[in-house]
Amino acid sequence: MTGSESWLTVKGAGEPQSPREAVCRDRAPFPYFWRLVPAALALGKMLIVVAKLGHCFHRSRRYGQYTMNQDTTTKITEKPPFDRSSSQDSLDELSMEDYWIELENIKRSHENRQDNQEVVVVKEPDEGELEEEWLKEAGLSNLFGDSAEDPQESMVFLSTLTRTQAAAVQKRVETVSQTLRKKNKQYQIPDVRDIFTQQRESKEKAPDGTESQSVRTNENKYQGKDDQASTPFGDKELMLPVPEDTPASETDINLEVSFAEQAVNQKEEKTQKSESNDASLPDFRLPKDKTGTTKVGDLAPQDMKKVCHLALIELTALYDVLGVELKQQKAAKIKTKDSGLFGVPLATLLEQDQRKVPGTRIPLIFQKLISQIEEGGLETEGLLRIPGAAIRIKNLCQELEAKFYEGTFNWESVKQHDAASLLKLFIRELPQPLLSVEYLRAFQAVQNLPTKKQQLQALNLLVILLPDANRDTLKALLEFLQRVIDNKEKNKMTVMNVAMVMAPNLFMCHALGLKSNEQREFGMAAGTANIMHLLIKYQKLLWTIPKFIVNQVRKQNTENHKKDRKAMKKLLKKMAYDREKYEKQDKSTNDADVPQGVIRVQAPRLSKVSMAIQLTEELKASDVLARFLSQESGVAQTLKKGEVFLYEIGGNIGERRLDDDTYMKDLYQLNPNAEWVIKLKPL
């Protein structure tokens, strides 16, 4: 057969034959069998071609492309089940390949371990139940139910809200109110507008009849995006200087004004700009704040609880302003394992880990798997992408369950790709997802926000809202992923590759029993991979508590202190104590013992001597610590930088750890009644 002849041509009986065909004809007793061999080979080739075309057709359907015959080729782009943000338009078929491969690996792994899995039943809330649960999570449960008769505590809280936050609360309160009326419940639910009216009327004048200057709502204070943070204590006390290093730019993240208020302002001024389709993300930065940056973990638990309440309200307000639906889910209580490693709730796992290593905040097995991967070197090509053998992974899981806590497990038998597969399996098999059942949909909905900056703002609030165990474990994971990406020149794992591989492990939680279809899979792939990219890229920014939220906490504390002092004065008067004597005792020791412009810094557990330090414009927290560490006596001699921190305690904050770049004079003006204490780094 010559090259010009068709590869499926069958020669007639009278045509010349090649030597190979002649041999086939003469091979008795199967002359006809050998004649059919070329045709059979040709048919096999055709089947292979058809199979490949079918595979390409299936893959192209995943990306919204349908290929017809050669005469008519039409490209149809399906609209995904969500409005893509600009960052998702840049995802092409090649970059998505890692996602689909990982998804197939997950499905195979799930099939091998299906016998051990329990599905979390996601409870569909009744009408109004979602809003009622939201109000509880926001710390406003006493607006309905038996405690509604005394809403004073909530009134203090509501007085600190911005106009968009107040609108978000009002919307949920009205829904709950309507629902309870339909159910013939007799709860007296105050209207939010009435509460704010009462709050304004009660604070227009102070108890002594003079006008109060200390309380102004953010709604009244907010003038525009260039305004300072809403002030809990009046203009004089909280007028903070705008950072002077560089003017505000598109890449600056403004933490002094509510994110939702910024979104409203952009809408009003129509400054919303369409973003380019460039896959690269901007290098967002936080302008320096002279009163210090507050990170998750810097505040006392009672203040952090208030931060979480405000973060939920702010997130809801931001989604409301931008027209994105925010629905929380609630997992029904199910029976879960109370011991072991895989498929155990994070809280349970940490309880048993803390019996082994007191103070640990990240599961020991999680830490060990990361260190095992790193011991093999982060330069291994395809790290995280190449899976371990499914049967071997299953056997390793069983062996780890039996021997990990006994310390008899042989880690030398674990290959690097096996450790990576086990790490991803640990994340997937959590009874509830690492991003939490309550907020998984909210994380997914981030992709629907118009700009990357707003997506970043939403992720910032969501990270704050995560339970401590989830947040700490997520932080350890993201830091590890960044170390993998730092070696991308050798391991070929760019930030997008890593995002593609990890997205299905974090977002497609099999335990939720989420049914999937082709369109949903495509939407999940494009959206969640980009959210994963944002989490990795901006992880250093996401653990920052916005200053406007910290200021709202300060205002709440101030109002609560006023209420407590007022109650105490009434009690003392009733007990016939000398009011003047009490007021003298009530004065801060700072005012009595320390000259103006000087602060006294104490270290009660480290030194018996306190330091009097003169405030200057350039004095930073790091300078105070350096002076303490330079002492030639006591425990300070054995300590090093990084082992101690300076804290702001009392006044309008419970407790706050200061970063080294905090300017002490500016912070003193913000909280003049605080005490300044040096303490050891927490475990």
Side-chain angles (χ1 to χ4, degrees):
M1 189 183 302
T2 64
S4 60
E5 293 173 331
S6 171
W7 57 275
L8 195 52
T9 301
V10 179
K11 290 183 170 40
E15 295 181 20
Q17 296 174 331
S18 68
R20 183 178 178 181
E21 288 173 320
V23 171
C24 291
R25 181 198 62 189
D26 295 336
R27 287 182 180 176
F30 308 109
Y32 294 102
F33 171 78
W34 291 104
R35 183 186 291 272
L36 292 173
V37 168
L41 292 172
L43 181 60
K45 290 182 179 179
M46 287 183 66
L47 291 173
I48 291 171
V49 170
V50 170
K52 286 184 176 180
L53 288 172
H55 176 65
C56 292
F57 177 78
H58 177 69
R59 280 182 57 196
S60 63
R61 281 190 66 201
R62 277 180 167 176
Y63 299 94
Q65 298 170 346
Y66 293 82
T67 307
M68 312 302 287
N69 57 42
Q70 288 184 344
D71 297 331
T72 309
T73 302
T74 308
K75 180 179 179 181
I76 304 173
T77 303
E78 290 186 318
K79 184 178 179 181
F82 59 90
D83 295 329
R84 292 192 206 172
S85 65
S86 57
S87 62
Q88 292 154 0
D89 295 331
S90 61
L91 295 176
D92 57 18
E93 182 173 344
L94 181 62
S95 69
M96 295 295 295
E97 188 66 22
D98 288 340
Y99 184 96
W100 302 121
I101 292 172
E102 182 67 16
L103 198 57
E104 292 301 319
N105 292 335
I106 291 172
K107 288 177 180 177
R108 283 197 295 271
S109 173
H110 181 47
E111 288 168 1
N112 286 331
R113 290 179 57 80
Q114 196 167 9
D115 54 331
N116 295 332
Q117 303 307 316
E118 281 197 69
V119 174
V120 176
V121 180
V122 178
K123 187 180 177 184
E124 289 298 327
D126 297 331
E127 184 183 7
E129 185 179 349
L130 199 64
E131 286 76 9
E132 188 173 324
E133 187 65 29
W134 184 92
L135 288 167
K136 289 179 181 177
E137 290 291 323
L140 294 169
S141 59
N142 59 355
L143 288 183
F144 59 90
D146 296 335
S147 61
E149 295 178 1
D150 183 19
Q152 291 299 319
E153 186 176 343
S154 291
M155 287 175 64
V156 171
F157 180 82
L158 292 168
S159 71
T160 68
L161 301 185
T162 65
R163 55 181 179 177
T164 49
Q165 290 173 349
V169 172
Q170 180 176 332
K171 182 178 177 181
R172 274 76 195 170
V173 168
E174 288 175 349
T175 301
V176 173
S177 179
Q178 291 171 7
T179 303
L180 292 177
R181 288 193 191 101
K182 287 180 183 178
K183 293 180 178 179
N184 296 320
K185 298 282 182 79
Q186 299 302 315
Y187 297 144
Q188 298 296 320
I189 302 179
D191 190 291
V192 174
R193 289 168 294 187
D194 295 337
I195 293 174
F196 274 99
T197 301
Q198 295 170 19
Q199 194 72 15
R200 284 193 296 268
E201 287 175 354
S202 65
K203 294 187 177 180
E204 279 178 356
K205 291 194 174 183
D208 59 358
T210 60
E211 234 180 77
S212 173
Q213 307 250 338
S214 62
V215 178
R216 298 176 63 187
T217 64
N218 288 350
E219 179 180 358
N220 296 331
K221 172 71 179 171
Y222 183 80
Q223 299 294 330
K225 67 179 181 180
D226 294 326
D227 282 0
Q228 300 299 324
S230 56
T231 65
F233 317 108
D235 295 343
K236 184 176 180 181
E237 294 183 14
L238 267 185
M239 284 299 292
L240 303 173
V242 177
E244 299 175 357
D245 47 353
T246 55
S249 69
E250 290 296 320
T251 57
D252 283 349
I253 303 297
N254 187 348
L255 298 181
E256 298 192 358
V257 176
S258 156
F259 298 152
E261 294 289 343
Q262 293 179 49
V264 168
N265 195 63
Q266 288 176 352
K267 277 189 170 185
E268 290 174 353
E269 295 183 359
K270 297 181 180 179
T271 58
Q272 193 89 356
K273 297 180 180 179
S274 59
E275 297 185 340
S276 66
N277 293 340
D278 186 4
S280 62
L281 296 175
D283 290 324
F284 288 122
R285 73 182 197 99
L286 300 178
K288 290 184 179 180
D289 177 7
K290 285 197 166 187
T291 59
T293 301
T294 307
K295 296 282 188 179
V296 171
D298 287 347
L299 295 177
Q302 65 268 27
D303 282 342
M304 192 61 199
K305 186 176 180 181
K306 295 171 186 174
V307 166
C308 290
H309 292 161
L310 290 163
L312 175 58
I313 296 173
E314 177 64 19
L315 178 71
T316 308
L318 178 63
Y319 276 44
D320 285 353
V321 168
L322 297 174
V324 175
E325 187 177 26
L326 175 62
K327 277 194 174 181
Q328 288 179 266
Q329 291 183 158
K330 187 177 181 181
K333 292 182 179 179
I334 62 167
K335 185 178 179 181
T336 58
K337 293 170 63 178
D338 56 5
S339 63
L341 298 175
F342 296 88
V344 180
L346 273 177
T348 303
L349 196 56
L350 283 172
E351 281 180 14
Q352 64 187 28
D353 285 353
Q354 286 166 359
R355 288 195 287 268
K356 298 281 184 179
V357 182
T360 187
R361 299 176 63 89
I362 300 164
L364 296 178
I365 182 63
F366 192 84
Q367 296 181 52
K368 181 58 182 176
L369 288 171
I370 287 177
S371 66
Q372 185 70 16
I373 296 169
E374 293 184 323
E375 283 175 14
L378 296 180
E379 299 176 353
T380 305
E381 187 169 339
L383 188 60
L384 296 176
R385 183 173 57 211
I386 299 175
I391 299 300
R392 191 166 65 246
I393 297 302
K394 183 177 181 180
N395 293 335
L396 286 171
C397 282
Q398 293 172 349
E399 195 175 347
L400 277 166
E401 294 277 9
K403 299 180 179 179
F404 177 73
Y405 285 114
E406 294 178 0
T408 58
F409 181 78
N410 181 19
W411 284 99
E412 292 181 1
S413 65
V414 181
K415 299 178 181 179
Q416 190 179 36
H417 292 306
D418 293 343
S421 293
L422 287 167
L423 181 71
K424 292 185 289 186
L425 182 66
F426 173 85
I427 295 169
R428 293 196 306 273
E429 291 209 345
L430 289 170
Q432 295 189 10
L434 186 60
L435 300 179
S436 79
V437 172
E438 292 80 3
Y439 297 111
L440 186 62
R441 281 188 181 176
F443 272 99
Q444 293 170 348
V446 167
Q447 62 191 297
N448 300 328
L449 302 181
T451 70
K452 296 183 182 73
K453 183 179 285 189
Q454 287 165 344
Q455 290 173 2
L456 174 58
Q457 291 170 339
L459 286 175
N460 180 200
L461 296 170
L462 282 165
V463 165
I464 291 171
L465 285 168
L466 287 176
D468 291 347
N470 298 59
R471 192 194 307 119
D472 293 338
T473 305
L474 177 63
K475 190 173 191 292
L477 175 65
L478 294 177
E479 289 172 349
F480 164 68
L481 296 179
Q482 185 58 56
R483 293 195 293 273
V484 172
I485 295 163
D486 290 341
N487 290 273
K488 63 185 175 184
E489 298 299 328
K490 294 186 177 179
N491 62 29
K492 310 302 180 187
M493 294 298 290
T494 65
V495 64
M496 208 61 207
N497 294 136
V498 172
M500 289 291 173
V501 169
M502 294 306 300
N505 290 282
L506 264 76
F507 287 93
M508 297 194 70
C509 179
H510 71 270
L512 293 179
L514 296 177
K515 293 183 179 179
S516 183
N517 56 42
E518 206 165 82
Q519 271 196 330
R520 178 181 173 84
E521 281 189 4
F522 175 78
M524 287 283 290
T528 59
N530 276 286
I531 296 167
M532 195 71 221
H533 189 180
L534 290 167
L535 286 169
I536 297 170
K537 168 84 173 178
Y538 300 123
Q539 58 183 283
K540 291 185 178 179
L541 307 183
L542 296 177
W543 267 254
T544 303
I545 301 176
K547 182 176 180 179
F548 70 87
I549 289 181
V550 177
N551 281 346
Q552 288 178 298
V553 171
R554 290 183 186 276
K555 180 177 179 181
Q556 286 182 41
N557 291 338
T558 297
E559 293 303 308
N560 285 328
H561 290 335
K562 285 182 179 179
K563 189 172 69 172
D564 292 343
R565 283 199 298 268
K566 187 176 180 182
M568 180 61 72
K569 286 180 179 179
K570 285 184 178 179
L571 179 62
L572 291 173
K573 187 176 181 180
K574 190 175 182 181
M575 295 174 67
Y577 272 89
D578 185 3
R579 182 174 181 181
E580 184 179 350
K581 180 179 179 182
Y582 166 74
E583 288 177 348
K584 286 181 180 179
Q585 291 175 347
D586 192 43
K587 288 183 179 180
S588 170
T589 56
N590 287 344
D591 295 335
D593 301 337
V594 182
Q596 188 70 23
V598 175
I599 60 172
R600 187 167 295 282
V601 180
Q602 302 175 8
R605 295 188 180 181
L606 302 172
S607 175
K608 295 181 180 179
V609 181
S610 62
M611 301 185 299
I613 297 180
Q614 180 69 48
L615 293 173
T616 64
E617 296 291 338
E618 301 302 320
L619 181 72
K620 295 183 180 181
S622 58
D623 301 324
V624 176
L625 290 172
R627 178 170 170 180
F628 172 76
L629 293 173
S630 66
Q631 294 180 127
E632 298 180 356
S633 61
V635 183
Q637 294 181 86
T638 63
L639 297 173
K640 298 178 182 178
K641 185 179 179 181
E643 294 180 342
V644 290
F645 288 93
L646 180 60
Y647 285 78
E648 165 197 8
I649 299 177
N652 53 45
I653 203 78
E655 179 176 297
R656 174 173 171 254
R657 183 168 59 210
L658 306 184
D659 73 78
D660 286 347
D661 290 330
T662 302
Y663 285 83
M664 297 305 298
K665 186 173 182 179
D666 293 85
L667 182 57
Y668 173 78
Q669 292 172 348
L670 177 66
N671 190 6
N673 294 322
E675 294 182 358
W676 313 98
V677 179
I678 293 174
K679 301 199 305 188
L680 286 171
K681 180 181 179 180
L683 296 175

Short mmCIF file of all heavy atoms in Angstrom, two decimals, residues 133-143 153-154 157 305 309 312-313:
data_model
loop_
_atom_site.label_atom_id
_atom_site.label_comp_id
_atom_site.label_asym_id
_atom_site.label_seq_id
_atom_site.Cartn_x
_atom_site.Cartn_y
_atom_site.Cartn_z
N GLU A 133 -31.25 33.45 63.41
CA GLU A 133 -29.93 32.91 63.72
C GLU A 133 -28.86 33.97 63.47
O GLU A 133 -27.88 34.07 64.22
CB GLU A 133 -29.66 31.67 62.85
CG GLU A 133 -28.39 30.92 63.20
CD GLU A 133 -28.43 30.30 64.58
OE1 GLU A 133 -29.53 29.97 65.06
OE2 GLU A 133 -27.35 30.17 65.19
N TRP A 134 -29.04 34.76 62.42
CA TRP A 134 -28.09 35.84 62.10
C TRP A 134 -28.03 36.85 63.24
O TRP A 134 -26.94 37.27 63.64
CB TRP A 134 -28.52 36.52 60.80
CG TRP A 134 -27.59 37.58 60.31
CD1 TRP A 134 -26.55 37.44 59.44
CD2 TRP A 134 -27.60 38.98 60.66
NE1 TRP A 134 -25.91 38.64 59.23
CE2 TRP A 134 -26.54 39.60 59.97
CE3 TRP A 134 -28.39 39.75 61.49
CZ2 TRP A 134 -26.26 40.97 60.08
CZ3 TRP A 134 -28.12 41.12 61.61
CH2 TRP A 134 -27.07 41.70 60.91
N LEU A 135 -29.19 37.23 63.78
CA LEU A 135 -29.22 38.19 64.88
C LEU A 135 -28.51 37.64 66.12
O LEU A 135 -27.84 38.37 66.84
CB LEU A 135 -30.66 38.57 65.21
CG LEU A 135 -31.36 39.48 64.18
CD1 LEU A 135 -32.85 39.53 64.43
CD2 LEU A 135 -30.76 40.88 64.20
N LYS A 136 -28.65 36.33 66.36
CA LYS A 136 -27.94 35.71 67.48
C LYS A 136 -26.44 35.78 67.26
O LYS A 136 -25.68 36.11 68.18
CB LYS A 136 -28.40 34.27 67.64
CG LYS A 136 -29.81 34.10 68.17
CD LYS A 136 -30.19 32.62 68.28
CE LYS A 136 -31.61 32.46 68.79
NZ LYS A 136 -32.01 31.03 68.84
N GLU A 137 -26.01 35.44 66.04
CA GLU A 137 -24.58 35.47 65.73
C GLU A 137 -24.02 36.89 65.82
O GLU A 137 -22.85 37.08 66.12
CB GLU A 137 -24.34 34.91 64.32
CG GLU A 137 -24.58 33.42 64.18
CD GLU A 137 -23.55 32.60 64.92
OE1 GLU A 137 -22.38 32.99 64.95
OE2 GLU A 137 -23.92 31.55 65.50
N ALA A 138 -24.87 37.88 65.56
CA ALA A 138 -24.44 39.28 65.61
C ALA A 138 -24.53 39.87 67.01
O ALA A 138 -24.26 41.06 67.20
CB ALA A 138 -25.28 40.12 64.64
N GLY A 139 -24.91 39.04 68.00
CA GLY A 139 -24.99 39.53 69.37
C GLY A 139 -26.22 40.35 69.66
O GLY A 139 -26.24 41.15 70.60
N LEU A 140 -27.28 40.17 68.86
CA LEU A 140 -28.50 40.97 69.02
C LEU A 140 -29.70 40.09 69.34
O LEU A 140 -30.83 40.43 68.99
CB LEU A 140 -28.77 41.77 67.73
CG LEU A 140 -27.73 42.85 67.41
CD1 LEU A 140 -27.93 43.40 66.01
CD2 LEU A 140 -27.79 43.98 68.43
N SER A 141 -29.48 38.98 70.01
CA SER A 141 -30.57 38.06 70.31
C SER A 141 -31.59 38.66 71.26
O SER A 141 -32.74 38.24 71.28
CB SER A 141 -30.03 36.75 70.89
OG SER A 141 -29.29 37.01 72.07
N ASN A 142 -31.19 39.66 72.05
CA ASN A 142 -32.14 40.24 73.00
C ASN A 142 -33.08 41.25 72.34
O ASN A 142 -33.84 41.93 73.02
CB ASN A 142 -31.42 40.88 74.19
CG ASN A 142 -30.46 41.98 73.77
OD1 ASN A 142 -30.27 42.21 72.58
ND2 ASN A 142 -29.86 42.63 74.75
N LEU A 143 -33.04 41.35 71.01
CA LEU A 143 -34.04 42.16 70.32
C LEU A 143 -35.34 41.41 70.12
O LEU A 143 -36.34 41.97 69.68
CB LEU A 143 -33.51 42.61 68.95
CG LEU A 143 -32.41 43.68 68.97
CD1 LEU A 143 -32.04 44.07 67.55
CD2 LEU A 143 -32.85 44.91 69.75
N GLU A 153 -28.71 46.95 76.41
CA GLU A 153 -27.40 46.49 75.97
C GLU A 153 -27.28 46.57 74.45
O GLU A 153 -26.26 47.00 73.91
CB GLU A 153 -27.18 45.04 76.44
CG GLU A 153 -25.78 44.53 76.14
CD GLU A 153 -25.55 43.14 76.71
OE1 GLU A 153 -26.34 42.71 77.58
OE2 GLU A 153 -24.59 42.49 76.27
N SER A 154 -28.34 46.16 73.75
CA SER A 154 -28.32 46.24 72.30
C SER A 154 -28.35 47.68 71.82
O SER A 154 -27.79 48.01 70.77
CB SER A 154 -29.51 45.48 71.71
OG SER A 154 -29.35 44.10 71.90
N PHE A 157 -24.90 48.86 71.63
CA PHE A 157 -24.27 48.25 70.47
C PHE A 157 -24.72 48.92 69.17
O PHE A 157 -23.91 49.27 68.31
CB PHE A 157 -24.61 46.75 70.45
CG PHE A 157 -24.01 46.00 69.29
CD1 PHE A 157 -22.71 45.55 69.34
CD2 PHE A 157 -24.75 45.74 68.15
CE1 PHE A 157 -22.15 44.85 68.28
CE2 PHE A 157 -24.21 45.05 67.09
CZ PHE A 157 -22.90 44.60 67.15
N LYS A 305 -14.79 39.02 70.71
CA LYS A 305 -16.19 38.62 70.51
C LYS A 305 -16.99 39.76 69.90
O LYS A 305 -17.80 39.55 68.98
CB LYS A 305 -16.79 38.21 71.86
CG LYS A 305 -18.19 37.63 71.77
CD LYS A 305 -18.68 37.17 73.14
CE LYS A 305 -20.08 36.58 73.05
NZ LYS A 305 -20.57 36.14 74.38
N HIS A 309 -18.95 40.04 66.12
CA HIS A 309 -20.32 40.52 65.91
C HIS A 309 -20.34 41.63 64.84
O HIS A 309 -21.17 41.60 63.92
CB HIS A 309 -20.89 41.08 67.22
CG HIS A 309 -21.13 40.02 68.26
ND1 HIS A 309 -21.26 40.33 69.60
CD2 HIS A 309 -21.25 38.68 68.17
CE1 HIS A 309 -21.46 39.20 70.29
NE2 HIS A 309 -21.44 38.19 69.44
N LEU A 312 -19.56 40.34 61.21
CA LEU A 312 -20.71 39.71 60.55
C LEU A 312 -21.67 40.76 60.01
O LEU A 312 -22.16 40.66 58.87
CB LEU A 312 -21.44 38.79 61.54
CG LEU A 312 -22.72 38.14 61.01
CD1 LEU A 312 -22.46 37.33 59.76
CD2 LEU A 312 -23.37 37.28 62.09
N ILE A 313 -21.96 41.78 60.82
CA ILE A 313 -22.86 42.84 60.36
C ILE A 313 -22.26 43.59 59.18
O ILE A 313 -22.94 43.89 58.19
CB ILE A 313 -23.18 43.81 61.53
CG1 ILE A 313 -23.93 43.06 62.64
CG2 ILE A 313 -24.00 45.00 61.04
CD1 ILE A 313 -24.15 43.88 63.89
#
